[in-house]
Amino acid sequence: MAEIMETWERTLEIIKEKVSESSFKKWLSNLKPIEISNSTAKIAVSNAFVKDWVKKYYEDIIISALSEATSSPVSVEFEVTGEEEFVVGDEKVEVAGRELEQPINRRQGLCLNPRYSFEKFVVGPSNQFAHAASLAVASAPGGCYNPLFIYGGVGLGKTHLLNAIGLKIREKMPELKVTLISAEQFMNELIYSLRFERMDQFRKKYREHCDVFLVDDVQFIAGKETTQDEFFHTFNILYETGRQIVVTSDRFPQDLHGMEERLRSRFEWGLITDIKPPDLETRIAILKKKADINGISLSDDVAFFIASQIKSNVRELEGALVRLSAFSSLHGVPITVDLAKEVLKNIIKEHVSECSVEAIQRAVAEVYHIKVSDLKSPRRLKSVALPRQIAMYLSKKHLNISYPEIGYKFGGKDHSTVI
């Protein structure tokens, strides 16, 4: 155990150099090591909320620091050891015989991460509009873009923009009370407020002591009627009093199945913008910027290689860079394409999708701006017939299937049509 604690102390010293003092005290100083081996570290956290927050914002930093402290690549697992989940208000609440203090400053909501600012956000065609809208909201909260609804897939930068809005408002208008919260945490606080009969405090926190309401992953409350009802009334009061609301989700409001219609319609009152997966140039720019911020020497060819292999998720892109940097630092070798191929082989393998007729149809349809259903239809227009022939040719060339099977996949075409 003494050896584990010694390793952990070294790890904490490294972490202190990479995060602000307040962030370290609030989120990282109370983490405890359960086990540290050559390849895995198990870290104890006090409750589920802290676990989610640390995983989301500090996992990469912890992995990098542990890898440096142990001189070998290490993966991290977080384990909740406390019996409490979360606490509401500024008062102490006794849970499972223990006194817990609210870890959140009510005036400011959740701790905003300085790493996720507008200055560190890479703008490209896939996120340009969302970035511009977020910047406009941060410049004039409660103005014309209220509410602002940002949707897109996992790891594309929604949380980054949400955090950046909070940072900019707090910098320019420190008198405003900014609250950044996940929808899951909102639900957890509501549950404990009901359990401990503290609904008055809960409502005051979000309806009276909040000027900017930033909610991440709102799709989490779909199907949860009581939470939706409380969220609806909170939303109404904030909106009617001119306070800014920004919500993120993984899908468009009308596609939020299990979400009440009255909430979906309110999400559409303001501005809706999406974030799409970044193109190759943007992915390269993200890698280069991340490398510059962290002092990593990354050549253009290595950046191109990583960006060409990991295409859909910015978080995975940055995680790959952290892993590559840690390996390079621990083994004292420069970062090259060959090293990237070796270190990232498991990650890259996961992103190599299995080729199929359906995948070819989707790719061809996307290139020619038609629907997959057009490729399967009997239509003989040149705008459809040529893409169909190309898709059939590629299916035969790259897949070990017969002409009749290809014909069947293209709407029951005769095999002579395929030939």
Side-chain angles (χ1 to χ4, degrees), residues 133-180:
S134 300
L135 201 54
V137 163
S139 301
C144 56
Y145 301 148
N146 192 25
L148 173 62
F149 188 96
I150 305 172
Y151 73 96
V154 175
L156 296 182
K158 302 186 300 296
T159 302
H160 190 140
L161 284 178
L162 201 65
N163 197 95
I165 291 170
L167 286 173
K168 181 64 72 174
I169 291 175
R170 189 171 295 168
E171 176 190 345
K172 300 295 183 182
M173 291 160 266
E175 71 279 5
L176 295 183
K177 300 162 189 172
V178 178
T179 298
L180 169 62

XYZ file of all heavy atoms in Angstrom, residues 133-180:
349
model
N -23.290 31.051 -32.933
C -24.474 31.237 -32.087
C -24.091 31.263 -30.615
O -24.605 32.075 -29.837
C -25.478 30.120 -32.359
N -23.189 30.381 -30.219
C -22.742 30.331 -28.823
C -22.024 31.611 -28.428
O -22.218 32.140 -27.327
C -21.817 29.122 -28.615
O -22.481 27.916 -28.902
N -21.202 32.110 -29.322
C -20.470 33.358 -29.061
C -21.443 34.532 -28.925
O -21.269 35.407 -28.060
C -19.475 33.614 -30.196
C -18.293 34.549 -29.915
C -17.510 34.114 -28.688
C -17.383 34.603 -31.137
N -22.483 34.526 -29.757
C -23.490 35.588 -29.687
C -24.236 35.550 -28.355
O -24.491 36.588 -27.739
C -24.477 35.447 -30.844
N -24.571 34.346 -27.903
C -25.257 34.185 -26.618
C -24.368 34.656 -25.471
O -24.822 35.334 -24.541
C -25.674 32.713 -26.420
C -26.007 32.431 -24.955
C -26.864 32.380 -27.298
N -23.088 34.297 -25.533
C -22.154 34.697 -24.474
C -21.963 36.209 -24.438
O -21.693 36.777 -23.380
C -20.807 33.996 -24.676
N -22.110 36.851 -25.582
C -21.932 38.305 -25.655
C -23.168 39.059 -25.172
O -23.057 40.168 -24.649
C -21.612 38.728 -27.092
O -20.440 38.077 -27.547
N -24.359 38.445 -25.378
C -25.608 39.107 -24.974
C -26.592 38.087 -24.429
O -27.565 37.736 -25.094
C -26.208 39.849 -26.168
N -26.332 37.560 -23.232
C -27.226 36.548 -22.668
C -28.644 37.075 -22.469
O -28.833 38.225 -22.077
C -26.567 36.196 -21.327
C -25.641 37.325 -21.025
C -25.215 37.882 -22.332
N -29.634 36.213 -22.788
C -31.030 36.603 -22.656
C -31.539 37.387 -23.845
O -32.661 37.890 -23.836
N -30.730 37.477 -24.917
C -31.114 38.235 -26.106
C -31.954 37.424 -27.064
O -32.807 36.630 -26.663
N -31.676 37.587 -28.364
C -32.545 36.985 -29.383
C -32.415 35.468 -29.475
O -33.353 34.801 -29.907
C -32.279 37.628 -30.742
S -30.556 37.532 -31.277
N -31.265 34.910 -29.110
C -31.089 33.454 -29.212
C -31.389 32.802 -27.870
O -30.500 32.269 -27.199
C -29.672 33.099 -29.668
C -29.293 33.681 -31.015
C -27.986 34.044 -31.293
C -30.248 33.871 -32.009
C -27.628 34.573 -32.534
C -29.901 34.391 -33.246
C -28.597 34.753 -33.496
O -28.256 35.280 -34.720
N -32.628 32.852 -27.468
C -33.003 32.295 -26.165
C -34.327 31.545 -26.284
O -35.342 32.152 -26.620
C -33.133 33.410 -25.130
C -33.224 32.888 -23.711
O -32.758 31.796 -23.419
N -33.825 33.666 -22.828
N -34.334 30.224 -26.070
C -33.180 29.401 -25.702
C -32.318 29.057 -26.923
O -32.791 29.151 -28.057
C -33.835 28.134 -25.150
C -35.110 28.020 -25.942
C -35.586 29.444 -26.122
N -31.083 28.656 -26.655
C -30.207 28.118 -27.701
C -30.150 26.612 -27.494
O -29.856 26.143 -26.392
C -28.804 28.713 -27.597
C -27.744 28.114 -28.534
C -28.112 28.335 -29.992
C -26.359 28.699 -28.234
N -30.468 25.865 -28.563
C -30.486 24.402 -28.490
C -29.414 23.873 -29.443
O -29.476 24.089 -30.654
C -31.862 23.871 -28.894
C -32.061 22.399 -28.668
C -32.672 21.925 -27.522
C -31.643 21.473 -29.614
C -32.864 20.560 -27.308
C -31.818 20.106 -29.418
C -32.436 19.654 -28.255
N -28.404 23.195 -28.892
C -27.301 22.636 -29.690
C -27.404 21.116 -29.665
O -27.447 20.508 -28.593
C -25.930 23.061 -29.123
C -25.842 24.586 -29.009
C -24.802 22.525 -30.004
C -24.590 25.076 -28.276
N -27.458 20.499 -30.841
C -27.530 19.039 -30.863
C -26.472 18.451 -31.801
O -25.997 19.115 -32.725
C -28.934 18.563 -31.255
C -29.310 18.752 -32.712
C -29.163 17.713 -33.630
C -29.821 19.963 -33.175
C -29.513 17.881 -34.962
C -30.176 20.143 -34.501
C -30.020 19.088 -35.399
O -30.354 19.260 -36.713
N -26.102 17.214 -31.534
C -25.094 16.532 -32.343
C -24.649 15.264 -31.644
O -25.039 14.985 -30.510
N -23.829 14.481 -32.323
C -23.377 13.205 -31.791
C -22.419 13.344 -30.615
O -22.028 14.452 -30.226
N -22.022 12.200 -30.087
C -21.135 12.165 -28.925
C -19.742 12.654 -29.298
O -19.208 12.320 -30.355
C -21.048 10.714 -28.382
C -20.035 10.622 -27.253
C -22.415 10.244 -27.914
N -19.156 13.471 -28.410
C -17.762 13.882 -28.571
C -17.494 14.856 -29.697
O -16.387 14.907 -30.227
N -18.476 15.675 -30.073
C -18.281 16.620 -31.177
C -18.054 18.055 -30.714
O -17.788 18.928 -31.540
C -19.485 16.562 -32.132
C -19.692 15.230 -32.845
C -20.883 15.327 -33.808
C -18.444 14.799 -33.605
N -18.206 18.314 -29.406
C -17.911 19.652 -28.907
C -19.072 20.403 -28.284
O -18.962 21.595 -27.989
N -20.194 19.727 -28.058
C -21.352 20.408 -27.451
C -21.028 20.887 -26.038
O -21.311 22.034 -25.673
C -22.561 19.452 -27.397
C -22.995 18.911 -28.748
C -24.266 18.104 -28.645
C -24.170 16.898 -27.722
N -23.199 15.895 -28.193
N -20.438 20.009 -25.239
C -20.090 20.370 -23.860
C -19.030 21.468 -23.837
O -19.056 22.350 -22.979
C -19.600 19.131 -23.093
O -20.627 18.135 -23.111
C -19.271 19.470 -21.647
N -18.108 21.419 -24.787
C -17.074 22.457 -24.891
C -17.724 23.825 -25.098
O -17.387 24.803 -24.411
C -16.130 22.126 -26.053
C -14.912 22.989 -26.115
N -13.666 22.510 -26.440
C -14.750 24.323 -25.905
C -12.788 23.509 -26.418
N -13.433 24.625 -26.106
N -18.661 23.909 -26.029
C -19.323 25.188 -26.301
C -20.147 25.647 -25.106
O -20.165 26.843 -24.770
C -20.222 25.063 -27.535
C -19.523 25.056 -28.893
C -20.525 24.885 -30.014
C -18.708 26.333 -29.102
N -20.819 24.711 -24.453
C -21.620 25.050 -23.277
C -20.736 25.652 -22.188
O -21.057 26.674 -21.576
C -22.309 23.778 -22.763
C -23.549 23.930 -21.891
C -24.686 24.569 -22.676
C -24.003 22.565 -21.369
N -19.597 25.007 -21.969
C -18.636 25.474 -20.974
C -18.046 26.832 -21.380
O -17.870 27.733 -20.546
C -17.523 24.437 -20.838
C -16.698 24.604 -19.579
O -16.958 23.970 -18.576
N -15.692 25.470 -19.623
N -17.771 26.987 -22.690
C -17.182 28.235 -23.185
C -18.142 29.414 -22.993
O -17.713 30.529 -22.665
C -16.823 28.092 -24.667
N -19.429 29.165 -23.181
C -20.428 30.223 -22.952
C -20.370 30.675 -21.500
O -20.350 31.873 -21.204
C -21.847 29.705 -23.303
C -21.984 29.490 -24.810
C -22.909 30.684 -22.812
C -23.254 28.762 -25.218
N -20.342 29.712 -20.588
C -20.281 30.039 -19.163
C -19.026 30.815 -18.797
O -19.080 31.798 -18.052
N -17.883 30.399 -19.343
C -16.621 31.093 -19.049
C -16.643 32.535 -19.553
O -16.208 33.458 -18.855
C -15.459 30.334 -19.702
C -15.022 29.015 -19.056
C -13.986 28.325 -19.928
C -14.467 29.249 -17.655
N -17.137 32.729 -20.778
C -17.153 34.064 -21.371
C -18.096 34.994 -20.600
O -17.754 36.155 -20.335
C -17.581 33.976 -22.838
C -17.617 35.306 -23.571
C -16.236 35.939 -23.684
C -15.375 35.195 -24.680
N -14.076 35.871 -24.906
N -19.265 34.485 -20.232
C -20.209 35.319 -19.477
C -19.632 35.672 -18.113
O -19.727 36.812 -17.653
C -21.564 34.585 -19.324
C -22.259 34.485 -20.683
C -22.463 35.302 -18.324
C -23.529 33.673 -20.668
N -19.015 34.703 -17.462
C -18.441 34.969 -16.144
C -17.285 35.969 -16.233
O -17.078 36.788 -15.341
C -17.966 33.668 -15.505
C -17.571 33.838 -14.053
C -17.325 32.505 -13.397
N -18.546 31.732 -13.348
C -18.580 30.437 -13.034
N -17.459 29.807 -12.752
N -19.710 29.783 -13.001
N -16.562 35.939 -17.334
C -15.447 36.876 -17.521
C -15.958 38.290 -17.786
O -15.455 39.260 -17.211
C -14.593 36.406 -18.706
C -13.458 37.342 -19.063
C -12.790 36.987 -20.382
O -13.008 35.858 -20.886
O -12.075 37.842 -20.921
N -16.964 38.410 -18.671
C -17.462 39.728 -19.075
C -18.513 40.284 -18.116
O -18.637 41.497 -17.967
C -18.056 39.645 -20.490
C -17.073 39.197 -21.562
C -15.962 40.227 -21.746
C -15.028 39.799 -22.889
N -13.911 40.748 -23.055
N -19.294 39.408 -17.509
C -20.389 39.839 -16.624
C -20.362 39.037 -15.322
O -21.214 38.181 -15.092
C -21.727 39.666 -17.345
C -21.916 40.620 -18.504
S -23.174 40.064 -19.678
C -22.164 39.192 -20.875
N -19.368 39.272 -14.483
C -19.203 38.466 -13.269
C -20.365 38.573 -12.289
O -20.497 37.730 -11.397
C -17.905 39.014 -12.659
C -17.736 40.374 -13.242
C -18.322 40.302 -14.612
N -21.203 39.586 -12.457
C -22.343 39.735 -11.545
C -23.440 38.709 -11.831
O -24.309 38.455 -10.985
C -22.926 41.154 -11.645
C -23.675 41.462 -12.922
C -22.780 41.816 -14.108
O -21.535 41.732 -13.955
O -23.326 42.158 -15.166
N -23.425 38.107 -13.026
C -24.442 37.117 -13.370
C -24.111 35.766 -12.744
O -22.945 35.358 -12.680
C -24.544 36.967 -14.891
C -25.026 38.188 -15.676
C -25.152 37.851 -17.154
C -26.350 38.699 -15.138
N -25.133 35.064 -12.311
C -24.969 33.746 -11.699
C -25.119 32.688 -12.783
O -26.204 32.504 -13.345
C -25.998 33.538 -10.599
C -25.907 34.560 -9.467
C -27.175 34.585 -8.658
C -27.155 35.755 -7.671
N -28.463 35.920 -6.989
N -24.031 32.004 -13.081
C -24.001 31.004 -14.151
C -24.123 29.610 -13.550
O -23.370 29.246 -12.645
C -22.688 31.112 -14.963
C -22.638 30.030 -16.035
C -22.555 32.495 -15.582
N -25.054 28.832 -14.073
C -25.228 27.449 -13.615
C -25.024 26.502 -14.783
O -25.767 26.556 -15.773
C -26.640 27.226 -13.029
O -26.805 28.065 -11.887
C -26.817 25.778 -12.608
N -24.012 25.666 -14.697
C -23.775 24.604 -15.679
C -24.100 23.282 -15.011
O -23.557 22.963 -13.949
C -22.315 24.617 -16.148
C -21.844 23.416 -16.979
C -22.626 23.326 -18.283
C -20.357 23.511 -17.261
